[in-house]
C-alpha cells in the first residue's frame, strides 16, 4: 500500500489536477488537517524536479491562505470550532500559556513553528485567538512556510536524482522516519505550548 501511494503521488505530478490537490492539502493542513503537504510535495517534486519551485510556490500560497482560515477560526470561532480543534489535539490546557507568549515572542513563534514539524494549525488558530496582528501574521507565515517548502525545492532541484534513488530504495525506512518526525512535532507541541 505504501509503494502504491508513493507511485500515485509520483504519477500525479504529471496530471493537470496535481497542483490543485497539492494546494488543497497545503491549505487544509494549515487550518485543520493533520497531514502535512510534504507527503505530496516530496514525491511530486521527485518526479518532476524541474517543477519543484512551482510546487513549493503553490504549497506556500495555499498554506498561507489556509493559515488565514486558521487565524479566522481562532479570532472568530474560537469558542466553538477553535476550541474543538485544540481539544482534538489534546492541547486545550496549554493554549493560554501559548497565547501569553505572543505578547513577547509573536513573530518568532510563528516563524519558528512554521519551519518545524510542529502542527502549523495550532499556530494559526492561536494567532487569531491571541489577536496577533493579521498582516504581521501573514508576513511571518510567508517567511516560515516559504522557507520550509523552498528548502525542499532547493534540495530536490540540486540532488533530486540521488534523493529519489535513496527514497525508492528504502521507502519504508524514509516513511517511518517521516512519520516519526510528524509524531515528534506533536510531542514537541504538547511540551512547548
Amino acid at each position: 500500500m505504501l509503494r502504491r501511494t508513493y507511485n500515485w503521488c509520483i504519477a500525479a505530478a504529471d496530471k493537470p489536477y496535481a497542483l490543485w490537490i497539492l494546494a488543497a492539502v497545503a491549505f487544509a493542513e494549515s487550518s485543520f488537517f493533520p497531514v502535512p503537504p510534504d507527503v505530496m510535495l516530496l514525491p511530486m517534486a521527485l518526479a518532476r524536479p524541474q517543477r519543484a519551485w512551482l510546487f513549493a510556490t503553490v504549497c506556500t500560497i495555499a498554506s498561507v491562505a489556509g493559515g488565514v482560515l486558521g487565524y479566522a477560526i481562532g479570532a472568530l470561532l474560537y469558542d466553538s470550532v477553535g476550541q474543538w480543534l485544540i481539544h482534538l489535539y489534546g492541547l486545550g490546557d496549554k493554549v493560554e500559556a501559548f497565547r501569553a507568549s505572543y505578547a513577547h515572542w509573536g513573530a518568532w513563534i510563528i516563524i519558528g513553528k512554521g519551519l518545524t514539524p510542529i502542527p502549523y494549525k495550532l499556530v494559526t488558530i492561536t494567532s487569531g485567538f491571541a489577536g496577533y496582528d493579521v498582516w504581521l501574521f501573514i508576513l511571518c507565515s510567508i517567511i516560515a512556510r516559504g522557507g520550509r517548502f523552498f528548502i525542499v525545492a532547493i534540495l530536490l532541484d540540486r540532488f533530486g536524482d540521488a534523493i529519489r534513488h535513496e527514497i525508492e530504495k528504502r521507502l519504508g525506512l524514509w516513511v517511518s522516519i517521516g512519520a516519526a518526525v510528524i509524531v515528534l512535532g506533536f510531542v514537541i507541541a504538547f511540551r512547548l505550548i
Side-chain angles (χ1 to χ4, degrees):
M1 181 175 140
L2 188 58
R3 178 67 61 181
R4 219 174 349 168
T5 303
Y6 173 80
N7 290 338
W8 181 85
C9 288
I10 291 284
D14 289 326
K15 305 291 187 215
Y17 56 80
L19 291 177
W20 291 104
I21 294 173
L22 184 62
V25 171
F27 179 89
E29 184 269 339
S30 292
S31 48
F32 60 88
F33 193 58
V35 179
D38 307 77
V39 170
M40 289 203 60
L41 173 63
L42 188 62
M44 288 174 64
L46 284 172
R48 308 278 286 160
Q50 70 277 15
R51 296 187 79 196
W53 296 95
L54 174 63
F55 296 149
T57 301
V58 168
C59 273
T60 301
I61 292 168
S63 183
V64 171
V68 171
L69 174 61
Y71 184 97
I73 289 170
L76 305 173
L77 302 173
Y78 185 78
D79 290 335
S80 57
V81 178
Q83 277 187 339
W84 175 77
L85 284 171
I86 294 294
H87 288 294
L88 179 70
Y89 291 106
L91 298 172
D93 58 333
K94 299 179 182 184
V95 170
E96 284 303 318
F98 190 62
R99 180 181 147 177
S101 65
Y102 263 80
H104 201 267
W105 303 103
W108 293 112
I109 290 170
I110 295 168
I111 292 171
K113 293 184 185 306
L115 287 167
T116 67
I118 292 172
Y120 194 59
K121 68 201 75 18
L122 302 175
V123 174
T124 66
I125 293 168
T126 306
S127 294
F129 172 67
Y132 195 73
D133 180 81
V134 70
W135 297 110
L136 190 53
F137 166 78
I138 292 170
L139 176 64
C140 291
S141 293
I142 291 168
I143 293 167
R145 302 311 271 179
R148 177 175 167 177
F149 300 132
F150 280 99
I151 287 170
V152 171
I154 290 167
L155 290 172
L156 294 178
D157 184 43
R158 182 154 188 155
F159 305 108
D161 291 334
I163 293 171
R164 183 174 182 173
H165 175 72
E166 176 60 28
I167 287 176
E168 289 179 354
K169 185 175 167 184
R170 295 181 180 93
L171 183 61
L173 171 68
W174 289 109
V175 169
S176 297
I177 290 170
V181 167
I182 292 170
V183 169
L184 180 64
F186 276 99
V187 169
I188 291 170
F190 283 121
R191 301 217 188 268
L192 291 180
I193 296 179

